[in-house]
Amino acid sequence: MIKTVICDMLGIEYPLFQGGMAWVADGKLAAAVSNGGGLGIIGAGNMDGDMVRKQIQIARELTDKPFGLNIMLMSPFAQDVAKVAVEEKVKVVTTGAGNPSKYMDDWKAAGIKVIPVVASVAMAKLMTRVGADAVIAEGGESGGHVGELTTMVLVPQICDATDLPVIAAGGIADGRGVAAAFILGAVGVQLGTRFLSATECSIHQNYKDKILKATDLCTMVTGKKTGHPVRALRTNFPKEYSKLEYSGASDDELNAFGTGALRKAVVDGNLQEGSFLSGQIAAMVKKEQPAAEIIREVMEGAEPVLKGALKWVK
Ligand code: TUI
Protein backbone atom coordinates (compact mmCIF):
# COMPACT_ATOMS: atom_id res chain seq x y z
CA MET A 1 0.00 0.00 0.00
CA ILE A 2 1.26 3.46 -0.93
CA LYS A 3 1.94 5.62 2.15
CA THR A 4 3.74 8.96 2.03
CA VAL A 5 4.70 11.85 4.32
CA ILE A 6 1.34 13.49 3.69
CA CYS A 7 -0.45 10.50 5.30
CA ASP A 8 1.56 10.97 8.50
CA MET A 9 1.17 14.76 8.46
CA LEU A 10 -2.63 14.62 8.19
CA GLY A 11 -3.46 11.25 9.77
CA ILE A 12 -4.97 9.78 6.61
CA GLU A 13 -4.71 6.27 5.18
CA TYR A 14 -4.25 7.06 1.46
CA PRO A 15 -2.38 10.11 0.04
CA LEU A 16 -5.48 11.15 -1.89
CA PHE A 17 -7.49 14.37 -1.51
CA GLN A 18 -10.94 15.09 -2.90
CA GLY A 19 -10.97 18.55 -4.46
CA GLY A 20 -13.00 21.18 -2.59
CA MET A 21 -15.41 21.80 -5.46
CA ALA A 22 -17.69 24.83 -5.00
CA TRP A 23 -21.41 23.90 -4.67
CA VAL A 24 -20.46 20.20 -4.99
CA ALA A 25 -18.17 19.22 -2.14
CA ASP A 26 -20.49 19.38 0.87
CA GLY A 27 -20.10 17.84 4.33
CA LYS A 28 -21.63 14.57 3.16
CA LEU A 29 -19.19 14.02 0.28
CA ALA A 30 -16.20 15.12 2.37
CA ALA A 31 -17.16 12.70 5.17
CA ALA A 32 -17.59 9.82 2.71
CA VAL A 33 -14.12 10.42 1.28
CA SER A 34 -12.56 10.68 4.74
CA ASN A 35 -14.34 7.50 5.84
CA GLY A 36 -12.85 5.87 2.73
CA GLY A 37 -9.33 6.73 3.93
CA GLY A 38 -8.67 9.82 1.81
CA LEU A 39 -8.90 13.49 2.76
CA GLY A 40 -12.44 14.76 2.18
CA ILE A 41 -12.59 18.51 1.67
CA ILE A 42 -15.62 20.78 2.03
CA GLY A 43 -15.68 23.40 -0.73
CA ALA A 44 -16.70 26.75 0.74
CA GLY A 45 -17.05 28.27 -2.74
CA ASN A 46 -19.24 31.34 -2.31
CA MET A 47 -20.88 30.17 0.95
CA ASP A 48 -20.99 32.55 3.90
CA GLY A 49 -19.51 31.64 7.29
CA ASP A 50 -22.72 30.20 8.75
CA MET A 51 -23.34 27.93 5.75
CA VAL A 52 -19.77 26.65 6.01
CA ARG A 53 -20.19 26.05 9.74
CA LYS A 54 -23.26 23.94 8.99
CA GLN A 55 -21.39 21.78 6.46
CA ILE A 56 -18.56 21.28 8.97
CA GLN A 57 -21.12 20.07 11.53
CA ILE A 58 -22.66 17.70 8.97
CA ALA A 59 -19.23 16.24 8.21
CA ARG A 60 -18.46 15.85 11.92
CA GLU A 61 -21.71 13.93 12.43
CA LEU A 62 -20.76 11.53 9.61
CA THR A 63 -17.07 10.92 10.33
CA ASP A 64 -14.49 11.11 13.09
CA LYS A 65 -11.67 11.06 10.51
CA PRO A 66 -9.81 14.24 9.52
CA PHE A 67 -11.28 16.36 6.73
CA GLY A 68 -10.41 19.72 5.20
CA LEU A 69 -12.01 23.00 4.18
CA ASN A 70 -11.26 24.66 0.84
CA ILE A 71 -11.48 28.45 0.84
CA MET A 72 -12.08 30.01 -2.57
CA LEU A 73 -10.20 33.27 -2.20
CA MET A 74 -12.21 35.12 -4.87
CA SER A 75 -15.35 34.69 -2.76
CA PRO A 76 -16.78 37.82 -1.11
CA PHE A 77 -17.00 35.71 2.07
CA ALA A 78 -13.39 34.47 2.05
CA GLN A 79 -12.44 36.49 5.14
CA ASP A 80 -15.52 35.33 7.01
CA VAL A 81 -14.83 31.68 6.11
CA ALA A 82 -11.14 32.05 7.05
CA LYS A 83 -12.32 32.98 10.57
CA VAL A 84 -14.74 30.04 10.72
CA ALA A 85 -11.83 27.69 9.95
CA VAL A 86 -10.07 28.98 13.09
CA GLU A 87 -13.16 28.97 15.32
CA GLU A 88 -14.16 25.47 14.25
CA LYS A 89 -10.56 24.22 14.56
CA VAL A 90 -10.64 22.65 11.12
CA LYS A 91 -7.69 20.31 10.76
CA VAL A 92 -6.69 21.22 7.19
CA VAL A 93 -7.33 24.30 5.04
CA THR A 94 -6.72 24.30 1.30
CA THR A 95 -7.07 27.50 -0.72
CA GLY A 96 -7.76 28.23 -4.37
CA ALA A 97 -7.95 31.05 -6.89
CA GLY A 98 -5.60 33.46 -5.15
CA ASN A 99 -2.96 34.28 -2.56
CA PRO A 100 -3.81 33.32 1.06
CA SER A 101 -0.77 35.02 2.71
CA LYS A 102 -2.79 37.44 4.84
CA TYR A 103 -4.62 34.59 6.63
CA MET A 104 -1.57 32.42 7.18
CA ASP A 105 -0.52 33.62 10.66
CA ASP A 106 -4.02 33.13 12.12
CA TRP A 107 -4.35 29.65 10.65
CA LYS A 108 -0.89 28.60 11.80
CA ALA A 109 -1.54 29.97 15.32
CA ALA A 110 -4.69 27.80 15.42
CA GLY A 111 -2.66 24.71 14.54
CA ILE A 112 -4.29 24.30 11.13
CA LYS A 113 -2.34 22.55 8.37
CA VAL A 114 -2.41 24.94 5.40
CA ILE A 115 -2.14 23.56 1.86
CA PRO A 116 -2.65 26.22 -0.84
CA VAL A 117 -3.26 25.46 -4.51
CA VAL A 118 -0.45 26.96 -6.54
CA ALA A 119 -0.49 27.35 -10.31
CA SER A 120 3.03 28.80 -10.71
CA VAL A 121 6.57 28.45 -9.37
CA ALA A 122 6.49 32.01 -7.96
CA MET A 123 3.38 31.23 -5.89
CA ALA A 124 4.94 27.95 -4.64
CA LYS A 125 8.02 29.84 -3.46
CA LEU A 126 5.91 32.51 -1.77
CA MET A 127 3.77 29.88 -0.01
CA THR A 128 6.95 28.16 1.20
CA ARG A 129 8.21 31.47 2.67
CA VAL A 130 4.94 32.27 4.46
CA GLY A 131 4.77 28.87 6.16
CA ALA A 132 2.51 26.55 4.14
CA ASP A 133 2.67 22.89 5.22
CA ALA A 134 2.41 21.51 1.68
CA VAL A 135 1.19 22.76 -1.71
CA ILE A 136 -1.22 21.45 -4.31
CA ALA A 137 0.15 21.87 -7.85
CA GLU A 138 -2.98 22.01 -10.00
CA GLY A 139 -2.60 21.88 -13.76
CA GLY A 140 -5.05 23.42 -16.21
CA GLU A 141 -6.55 20.01 -17.10
CA SER A 142 -8.67 20.47 -14.00
CA GLY A 143 -12.21 21.77 -13.88
CA GLY A 144 -13.36 25.14 -12.65
CA HIS A 145 -10.91 28.00 -12.26
CA VAL A 146 -7.78 26.98 -14.15
CA GLY A 147 -4.17 28.13 -14.31
CA GLU A 148 -2.04 28.40 -17.45
CA LEU A 149 0.26 25.37 -17.07
CA THR A 150 -0.52 21.68 -17.45
CA THR A 151 0.02 19.16 -14.66
CA MET A 152 2.88 17.53 -16.59
CA VAL A 153 4.75 20.83 -16.77
CA LEU A 154 3.76 22.29 -13.40
CA VAL A 155 4.38 19.41 -10.97
CA PRO A 156 8.11 18.80 -11.60
CA GLN A 157 8.82 22.56 -11.56
CA ILE A 158 6.98 22.99 -8.26
CA CYS A 159 8.85 19.97 -6.83
CA ASP A 160 12.14 21.67 -7.80
CA ALA A 161 11.04 25.03 -6.36
CA THR A 162 10.10 23.88 -2.86
CA ASP A 163 11.05 21.32 -0.20
CA LEU A 164 7.41 21.11 0.91
CA PRO A 165 5.38 18.02 0.07
CA VAL A 166 3.65 18.49 -3.30
CA ILE A 167 0.17 17.16 -4.10
CA ALA A 168 -0.56 16.87 -7.83
CA ALA A 169 -3.97 17.81 -9.22
CA GLY A 170 -5.53 18.23 -12.64
CA GLY A 171 -6.20 15.41 -15.08
CA ILE A 172 -5.87 12.56 -12.57
CA ALA A 173 -8.69 10.02 -12.42
CA ASP A 174 -7.16 6.55 -12.13
CA GLY A 175 -4.11 4.57 -11.00
CA ARG A 176 -2.09 5.54 -14.06
CA GLY A 177 -2.55 9.22 -13.26
CA VAL A 178 -1.53 8.65 -9.64
CA ALA A 179 1.57 6.72 -10.74
CA ALA A 180 2.48 9.52 -13.16
CA ALA A 181 2.10 12.11 -10.39
CA PHE A 182 4.44 10.15 -8.10
CA ILE A 183 7.00 9.79 -10.87
CA LEU A 184 6.92 13.58 -11.38
CA GLY A 185 7.80 13.98 -7.68
CA ALA A 186 4.42 14.40 -5.98
CA VAL A 187 3.68 12.68 -2.65
CA GLY A 188 -0.07 12.76 -3.09
CA VAL A 189 -2.89 13.49 -5.50
CA GLN A 190 -6.10 15.48 -5.55
CA LEU A 191 -9.06 14.34 -7.64
CA GLY A 192 -12.16 16.40 -8.33
CA THR A 193 -14.02 15.28 -11.44
CA ARG A 194 -13.77 11.58 -10.54
CA PHE A 195 -15.78 12.25 -7.37
CA LEU A 196 -18.66 13.86 -9.30
CA SER A 197 -19.86 10.29 -9.89
CA ALA A 198 -19.61 9.27 -6.24
CA THR A 199 -22.82 7.85 -4.77
CA GLU A 200 -22.49 10.34 -1.89
CA CYS A 201 -22.11 13.30 -4.28
CA SER A 202 -25.44 15.16 -4.18
CA ILE A 203 -25.27 16.99 -7.54
CA HIS A 204 -28.31 16.84 -9.87
CA GLN A 205 -28.62 13.57 -11.81
CA ASN A 206 -28.36 15.53 -15.10
CA TYR A 207 -24.84 16.62 -14.01
CA LYS A 208 -23.80 13.03 -13.25
CA ASP A 209 -25.26 11.80 -16.54
CA LYS A 210 -23.38 14.49 -18.47
CA ILE A 211 -20.10 13.43 -16.84
CA LEU A 212 -20.75 9.73 -17.42
CA LYS A 213 -21.49 10.36 -21.12
CA ALA A 214 -18.57 12.75 -21.70
CA THR A 215 -15.95 12.11 -24.38
CA ASP A 216 -12.36 13.31 -24.62
CA LEU A 217 -13.04 16.72 -26.18
CA CYS A 218 -16.08 17.50 -24.03
CA THR A 219 -14.75 20.47 -22.05
CA MET A 220 -13.92 24.06 -22.96
CA VAL A 221 -12.42 27.09 -21.21
CA THR A 222 -14.21 30.43 -21.07
CA GLY A 223 -13.37 33.65 -19.22
CA LYS A 224 -9.86 34.20 -20.52
CA LYS A 225 -10.81 37.82 -21.29
CA THR A 226 -11.84 38.61 -17.71
CA GLY A 227 -8.66 36.95 -16.42
CA HIS A 228 -10.63 34.19 -14.68
CA PRO A 229 -10.58 31.22 -17.03
CA VAL A 230 -13.00 28.44 -16.10
CA ARG A 231 -13.21 24.92 -17.56
CA ALA A 232 -16.64 23.32 -17.96
CA LEU A 233 -18.45 20.76 -20.10
CA ARG A 234 -19.17 22.13 -23.59
CA THR A 235 -22.91 22.68 -23.09
CA ASN A 236 -25.11 25.58 -24.15
CA PHE A 237 -24.01 27.97 -21.35
CA PRO A 238 -20.25 28.14 -22.03
CA LYS A 239 -20.91 28.37 -25.78
CA GLU A 240 -23.18 31.39 -25.23
CA TYR A 241 -20.75 32.89 -22.71
CA SER A 242 -17.96 32.53 -25.22
CA LYS A 243 -19.97 34.29 -27.94
CA LEU A 244 -20.67 37.16 -25.54
CA GLU A 245 -17.01 37.26 -24.49
CA TYR A 246 -15.78 37.61 -28.06
CA SER A 247 -18.51 40.08 -29.04
CA GLY A 248 -16.80 42.70 -26.88
CA ALA A 249 -19.08 42.52 -23.82
CA SER A 250 -17.82 44.30 -20.68
CA ASP A 251 -16.65 42.42 -17.59
CA ASP A 252 -19.83 43.55 -15.79
CA GLU A 253 -22.04 42.11 -18.54
CA LEU A 254 -20.06 38.86 -18.50
CA ASN A 255 -20.25 38.58 -14.72
CA ALA A 256 -24.00 39.24 -14.78
CA PHE A 257 -24.45 36.53 -17.43
CA GLY A 258 -22.34 34.07 -15.42
CA THR A 259 -23.85 34.67 -11.98
CA GLY A 260 -25.73 31.66 -10.65
CA ALA A 261 -24.74 29.36 -13.53
CA LEU A 262 -22.95 26.83 -11.29
CA ARG A 263 -25.93 26.63 -8.93
CA LYS A 264 -28.20 26.08 -11.95
CA ALA A 265 -26.05 23.09 -12.96
CA VAL A 266 -25.53 21.52 -9.52
CA VAL A 267 -28.95 22.12 -7.95
CA ASP A 268 -31.35 22.39 -10.93
CA GLY A 269 -29.54 20.28 -13.54
CA ASN A 270 -30.38 23.09 -16.00
CA LEU A 271 -28.81 21.95 -19.28
CA GLN A 272 -29.38 25.31 -21.00
CA GLU A 273 -28.22 27.82 -18.38
CA GLY A 274 -26.03 25.73 -16.10
CA SER A 275 -22.23 25.72 -15.96
CA PHE A 276 -21.19 22.09 -15.55
CA LEU A 277 -17.64 22.50 -14.29
CA SER A 278 -15.48 19.51 -15.20
CA GLY A 279 -11.88 18.54 -15.75
CA GLN A 280 -10.59 17.13 -19.03
CA ILE A 281 -10.69 13.57 -17.66
CA ALA A 282 -14.51 13.44 -17.50
CA ALA A 283 -14.49 10.75 -20.21
CA MET A 284 -12.59 8.45 -17.85
CA VAL A 285 -15.39 8.55 -15.27
CA LYS A 286 -17.32 5.40 -16.12
CA LYS A 287 -19.87 4.69 -13.40
CA GLU A 288 -21.53 5.87 -10.23
CA GLN A 289 -19.90 4.20 -7.21
CA PRO A 290 -19.25 4.87 -3.50
CA ALA A 291 -16.40 7.28 -2.71
CA ALA A 292 -14.55 4.60 -0.72
CA GLU A 293 -14.57 2.31 -3.77
CA ILE A 294 -13.22 5.11 -6.00
CA ILE A 295 -10.33 5.71 -3.58
CA ARG A 296 -9.46 2.01 -3.32
CA GLU A 297 -9.68 1.48 -7.09
CA VAL A 298 -7.50 4.52 -7.87
CA MET A 299 -4.84 3.88 -5.23
CA GLU A 300 -4.64 0.12 -5.74
CA GLY A 301 -4.57 0.75 -9.48
CA ALA A 302 -1.41 2.82 -9.09
CA GLU A 303 0.65 0.01 -7.53
CA PRO A 304 1.05 -2.34 -10.52
CA VAL A 305 1.70 0.67 -12.76
CA LEU A 306 4.51 1.87 -10.49
CA LYS A 307 5.95 -1.64 -10.14
CA GLY A 308 5.92 -2.07 -13.92
CA ALA A 309 7.04 1.46 -14.69
CA LEU A 310 10.64 0.54 -15.32
CA LYS A 311 9.99 -2.47 -17.49
CA TRP A 312 10.83 -0.54 -20.66
CA VAL A 313 14.22 0.57 -19.34
CA LYS A 314 17.10 -1.56 -20.61
O1 TUI B 1 -9.92 27.41 -7.41
C1 TUI B 1 -9.86 26.46 -8.14
N1 TUI B 1 -10.93 26.03 -8.85
C2 TUI B 1 -12.17 26.61 -8.83
S1 TUI B 1 -12.65 27.94 -7.90
C3 TUI B 1 -14.16 27.88 -8.53
S2 TUI B 1 -15.42 28.99 -8.09
C4 TUI B 1 -15.32 30.09 -9.35
N2 TUI B 1 -16.46 30.34 -9.96
C5 TUI B 1 -16.49 31.21 -10.97
C6 TUI B 1 -15.34 31.85 -11.39
C7 TUI B 1 -14.17 31.58 -10.79
C8 TUI B 1 -14.16 30.68 -9.76
C9 TUI B 1 -14.27 26.87 -9.40
N3 TUI B 1 -13.15 26.18 -9.54
N4 TUI B 1 -8.74 25.73 -8.27
C10 TUI B 1 -7.57 26.08 -7.58
C11 TUI B 1 -6.74 26.99 -8.36
N5 TUI B 1 -6.12 28.01 -7.85
N6 TUI B 1 -6.48 26.95 -9.68
C12 TUI B 1 -5.67 27.99 -9.98
C13 TUI B 1 -5.44 28.64 -8.79
C14 TUI B 1 -4.64 29.80 -8.52
C15 TUI B 1 -4.56 30.85 -9.41
C16 TUI B 1 -3.82 31.98 -9.10
C17 TUI B 1 -3.98 29.89 -7.30
C18 TUI B 1 -3.23 31.00 -6.98
C19 TUI B 1 -3.18 32.03 -7.89
O2 TUI B 1 -2.47 33.11 -7.51
C20 TUI B 1 -2.57 34.25 -8.32
C21 TUI B 1 -2.20 35.44 -7.49
O3 TUI B 1 -1.11 35.94 -7.71
O4 TUI B 1 -3.02 35.82 -6.63
Side-chain angles (χ1 to χ4, degrees):
M1 184 167 153
I2 300 167
K3 282 252 179 225
T4 72
V5 289
I6 205 73
C7 298
D8 302 328
M9 182 194 287
L10 306 179
I12 54 179
E13 206 179 329
Y14 296 106
L16 185 150
F17 297 6
Q18 157 253 313
M21 300 166 279
W23 279 99
V24 174
D26 56 11
K28 181 180 166 190
L29 179 63
V33 170
S34 291
N35 282 333
L39 184 74
I41 299 179
I42 295 169
N46 281 321
M47 289 194 276
D48 65 26
D50 286 340
M51 290 160 82
V52 171
R53 223 183 275 279
K54 189 158 170 236
Q55 292 305 319
I56 292 171
Q57 277 155 12
I58 289 171
R60 286 196 171 134
E61 277 161 25
L62 296 171
T63 187
D64 49 18
K65 301 264 174 72
F67 60 86
L69 173 65
N70 175 264
I71 304 182
M72 209 280 278
L73 296 166
M74 277 167 51
S75 161
F77 300 105
Q79 185 134 15
D80 193 15
V81 176
K83 223 170 87 194
V84 169
V86 172
E87 288 164 4
E88 291 291 330
K89 300 188 173 60
V90 168
K91 173 135 192 186
V92 187
V93 162
T94 66
T95 62
N99 175 357
S101 296
K102 66 174 176 180
Y103 305 116
M104 215 66 165
D105 290 347
D106 286 350
W107 289 335
K108 299 302 296 173
I112 296 171
K113 298 286 180 207
V114 185
I115 313 186
V117 167
V118 296
S120 69
V121 164
M123 189 53 76
K125 286 184 173 164
L126 177 61
M127 291 302 106
T128 308
R129 275 204 303 281
V130 299
D133 294 283
V135 292
I136 301 168
E138 184 182 287
E141 297 94 323
S142 68
H145 182 79
V146 289
E148 190 66 38
L149 300 174
T150 59
T151 302
M152 184 79 141
V153 167
L154 186 65
V155 174
Q157 294 192 69
I158 300 291
C159 290
D160 285 348
T162 181
D163 290 330
L164 295 176
V166 175
I167 313 301
I172 304 171
D174 67 6
R176 292 169 297 181
V178 174
F182 281 122
I183 286 180
L184 293 176
V187 299
V189 291
Q190 174 169 280
L191 279 63
T193 304
R194 178 79 197 255
F195 285 108
L196 292 175
S197 73
T199 318
E200 301 88 347
C201 179
S202 307
I203 57 175
H204 195 282
Q205 193 59 42
N206 286 355
Y207 201 153
K208 284 195 183 174
D209 290 346
K210 275 277 170 200
I211 293 290
L212 293 170
K213 285 190 198 129
T215 55
D216 55 350
L217 296 173
C218 264
T219 71
M220 65 186 282
V221 174
T222 57
K224 284 199 169 151
K225 284 205 161 173
T226 60
H228 302 300
V230 169
R231 183 182 297 285
L233 292 178
R234 194 185 291 276
T235 56
N236 184 62
F237 172 80
K239 285 189 211 158
E240 292 299 322
Y241 186 102
S242 189
K243 273 192 221 160
L244 196 62
E245 198 174 3
Y246 290 95
S247 73
S250 68
D251 283 9
D252 284 350
E253 281 175 275
L254 286 166
N255 288 337
F257 186 71
T259 298
L262 181 53
R263 187 190 62 75
K264 285 178 188 167
V266 173
V267 180
D268 308 334
N270 185 332
L271 297 170
Q272 291 307 308
E273 296 167 21
S275 173
F276 296 82
L277 301 186
S278 167
Q280 287 185 314
I281 48 71
M284 284 167 58
V285 183
K286 301 276 170 29
K287 61 177 180 198
E288 193 165 356
Q289 59 191 146
E293 197 177 296
I294 294 175
I295 296 165
R296 224 177 314 116
E297 210 173 279
V298 169
M299 290 309 303
E300 285 175 9
E303 290 190 27
V305 182
L306 284 167
K307 283 177 185 150
L310 298 176
K311 72 182 173 188
W312 306 109
V313 181
K314 285 236 163 51

mmCIF file of all heavy atoms in Angstrom, residues 134 202 263 274 280 295:
data_model
loop_
_atom_site.group_PDB
_atom_site.id
_atom_site.type_symbol
_atom_site.label_atom_id
_atom_site.label_comp_id
_atom_site.label_asym_id
_atom_site.label_seq_id
_atom_site.Cartn_x
_atom_site.Cartn_y
_atom_site.Cartn_z
ATOM 1 N N ALA A 134 2.267 22.263 2.929
ATOM 2 C CA ALA A 134 2.411 21.515 1.675
ATOM 3 C C ALA A 134 1.772 22.391 0.610
ATOM 4 O O ALA A 134 1.184 23.430 0.947
ATOM 5 C CB ALA A 134 1.688 20.165 1.769
ATOM 6 N N SER A 202 -24.008 14.822 -4.075
ATOM 7 C CA SER A 202 -25.439 15.164 -4.182
ATOM 8 C C SER A 202 -25.799 16.046 -5.371
ATOM 9 O O SER A 202 -26.856 16.661 -5.378
ATOM 10 C CB SER A 202 -25.889 15.864 -2.894
ATOM 11 O OG SER A 202 -25.556 15.087 -1.772
ATOM 12 N N ARG A 263 -24.793 27.116 -9.718
ATOM 13 C CA ARG A 263 -25.927 26.627 -8.925
ATOM 14 C C ARG A 263 -26.983 25.980 -9.842
ATOM 15 O O ARG A 263 -27.544 24.931 -9.532
ATOM 16 C CB ARG A 263 -26.562 27.774 -8.138
ATOM 17 C CG ARG A 263 -27.636 27.306 -7.160
ATOM 18 C CD ARG A 263 -28.433 28.464 -6.565
ATOM 19 N NE ARG A 263 -29.160 29.228 -7.566
ATOM 20 C CZ ARG A 263 -30.273 28.816 -8.176
ATOM 21 N NH1 ARG A 263 -30.810 27.652 -7.860
ATOM 22 N NH2 ARG A 263 -30.852 29.558 -9.104
ATOM 23 N N GLY A 274 -26.974 26.158 -17.140
ATOM 24 C CA GLY A 274 -26.030 25.729 -16.103
ATOM 25 C C GLY A 274 -24.596 25.665 -16.601
ATOM 26 O O GLY A 274 -24.346 25.447 -17.789
ATOM 27 N N GLN A 280 -10.699 17.779 -17.715
ATOM 28 C CA GLN A 280 -10.590 17.131 -19.030
ATOM 29 C C GLN A 280 -10.738 15.615 -18.963
ATOM 30 O O GLN A 280 -10.934 14.981 -19.988
ATOM 31 C CB GLN A 280 -9.241 17.493 -19.672
ATOM 32 C CG GLN A 280 -9.186 18.928 -20.165
ATOM 33 C CD GLN A 280 -7.898 19.235 -20.900
ATOM 34 O OE1 GLN A 280 -6.818 18.877 -20.438
ATOM 35 N NE2 GLN A 280 -7.989 19.913 -22.016
ATOM 36 N N ILE A 295 -11.661 5.519 -4.182
ATOM 37 C CA ILE A 295 -10.334 5.708 -3.581
ATOM 38 C C ILE A 295 -9.522 4.416 -3.676
ATOM 39 O O ILE A 295 -8.358 4.417 -4.088
ATOM 40 C CB ILE A 295 -10.474 6.157 -2.105
ATOM 41 C CG1 ILE A 295 -11.157 7.525 -2.044
ATOM 42 C CG2 ILE A 295 -9.116 6.195 -1.410
ATOM 43 C CD1 ILE A 295 -11.659 7.912 -0.666
#
